[in-house]
Amino acid sequence: MACRISELVLGCRDPEALARFWCEVLDFVILDREDDGTLEIGPREGFGGAQPTIILSRRDEPEKGKSRLHIDVNPTDRDQDAELERLLALGARRADIGQTGDEQWHVLSDPEGNEFCLLKARLKAL
């Protein structure tokens, strides 16, 4: 038996605002709220499915250094250009990390500056 990724944890200043953004991006819902303001968001069917949940943990100050983990997203019901426009309208911003302009993905940041990439739509594995 092997492990699977069950949760991704993202430190942030405003878990509520970031939850609204990522719930819209991923069509997730809030699954749990902790007394300290931590939120868990995930697929509508809840924890334990094929997709990991995201824990948004309150941090007053960003952790020092560049994060070595980022999220990649793929459009599921539209092409990449249409999804890019949707994400920008939700509050994502373009991020420059030294791209050449020839990449097949877009580097963006969420409302708190966490980088993520918008990839082209991909077919599901058989």
Side-chain angles (χ1 to χ4, degrees), residues 4-62:
R4 72 173 189 87
I5 296 173
S6 60
E7 303 154 350
L8 301 173
V9 179
L10 185 57
C12 58
R13 289 180 294 281
D14 188 348
E16 289 283 342
L18 219 50
R20 285 190 300 274
F21 175 80
W22 283 109
C23 282
E24 284 292 324
V25 169
L26 301 170
D27 192 29
F28 276 13
V29 296
I30 294 174
L31 299 173
D32 192 24
R33 290 178 191 273
E34 299 292 325
D35 292 337
D36 66 358
T38 297
L39 296 173
E40 181 175 17
I41 64 172
R44 294 176 186 282
E45 56 272 7
F47 178 83
Q51 296 186 67
T53 62
I54 299 175
I55 307 291
L56 300 166
S57 177
R58 183 180 305 282
R59 300 282 183 268
D60 291 331
E61 295 295 324

Side-chain angles (χ1 to χ4, degrees), residues 96-105 107:
D96 182 358
I97 60 168
Q99 306 91 297
T100 65
D102 294 329
E103 294 82 7
Q104 294 185 15
W105 61 87
V107 182

Side-chain angles (χ1 to χ4, degrees), residues 56-120:
L56 300 166
S57 177
R58 183 180 305 282
R59 300 282 183 268
D60 291 331
E61 295 295 324
E63 295 181 25
K64 295 187 190 300
K66 182 171 171 48
S67 173
R68 296 176 65 186
L69 176 71
H70 71 266
I71 296 172
D72 286 346
V73 298
N74 300 87
T76 58
D77 62 353
R78 64 197 77 196
D79 69 21
Q80 185 184 40
D81 292 336
E83 185 64 359
L84 176 61
E85 293 307 313
R86 187 180 83 87
L87 296 178
L88 293 171
L90 289 173
R93 296 179 307 271
R94 294 178 187 270
D96 182 358
I97 60 168
Q99 306 91 297
T100 65
D102 294 329
E103 294 82 7
Q104 294 185 15
W105 61 87
H106 297 279
V107 182
L108 304 168
S109 61
D110 71 18
E112 288 205 8
N114 301 298
E115 293 169 358
F116 68 100
C117 293
L118 170 62
L119 308 179
K120 288 189 172 193

